[in-house]
Amino acid sequence: MDYLAELRHRGFSQADDGRDPEGRVQFDSDLYAGTSSELTVQVYAADLQALQREIMPTLEAVLPMIDNMVDALGEMDADLAQIILFRERLGLHFWSRGINNEFTAVYVRNDARWIFQGFGEIFSDD
């Protein structure tokens, strides 16, 4: 799917006013809203200008790789629900189809590549 084109079409909105200890707020973009492919892109930045300057270059690089990253995880009975960029980590958050379960595939950047670290918590400090 062309997540990047859809993101450029939808843009971001600030999700709340609460700032984290580093002064960032959450911004969301709902892609393919109202379809079976709907998912949210969630990022954190000080403001929209910082989002454009600091976060968008990373999203422009990673979003075209998302489908391949999901495929590399193997067959799962789950749907991609969120793409989360937090600090230097990327989370692909899934919702299970058969049971009430959510899980996140966590990646870290190594140069131009994203390395799968396992399933876990995207917001932890380790």
Side-chain angles (χ1 to χ4, degrees):
M1 301 186 81
D2 194 345
Y3 301 112
L4 185 55
E6 180 71 3
L7 177 62
R8 287 180 174 145
H9 172 73
R10 298 281 179 175
F12 279 100
S13 60
Q14 188 170 326
D16 61 43
D17 293 325
R19 294 190 178 274
D20 70 8
E22 296 167 8
R24 297 173 303 199
V25 293
Q26 178 181 330
F27 292 89
D28 291 341
S29 183
D30 292 324
L31 309 187
Y32 307 105
T35 72
S36 62
S37 300
E38 182 172 356
L39 64 91
T40 300
V41 176
Q42 179 179 329
V43 299
Y44 296 81
D47 54 35
L48 277 172
Q49 292 78 21
L51 189 157
Q52 291 298 321
R53 184 179 60 252
E54 300 165 9
I55 306 300
M56 277 306 295
T58 301
L59 288 174
E60 289 168 348
V62 76
L63 288 177
M65 297 187 286
I66 295 296
D67 286 336
N68 288 338
M69 294 168 88
V70 170
D71 290 345
L73 293 172
E75 186 62 34
M76 295 185 293
D77 190 24
D79 296 312
L80 181 61
Q82 288 182 295
I83 299 168
I84 305 164
L85 190 59
F86 183 72
R87 295 186 178 137
E88 292 298 314
R89 297 196 315 212
L90 175 72
L92 302 182
H93 189 76
F94 295 87
W95 290 341
S96 293
R97 293 184 199 118
I99 58 174
N100 186 15
N101 189 24
E102 301 177 32
F103 55 94
T104 305
V106 179
Y107 297 80
V108 294
R109 187 173 19 195
N110 183 359
D111 296 321
R113 295 182 39 195
W114 288 89
I115 309 299
F116 176 63
Q117 298 296 294
F119 294 99
E121 174 60 49
I122 188 72
F123 300 107
S124 68
D125 289 325
D126 55 354

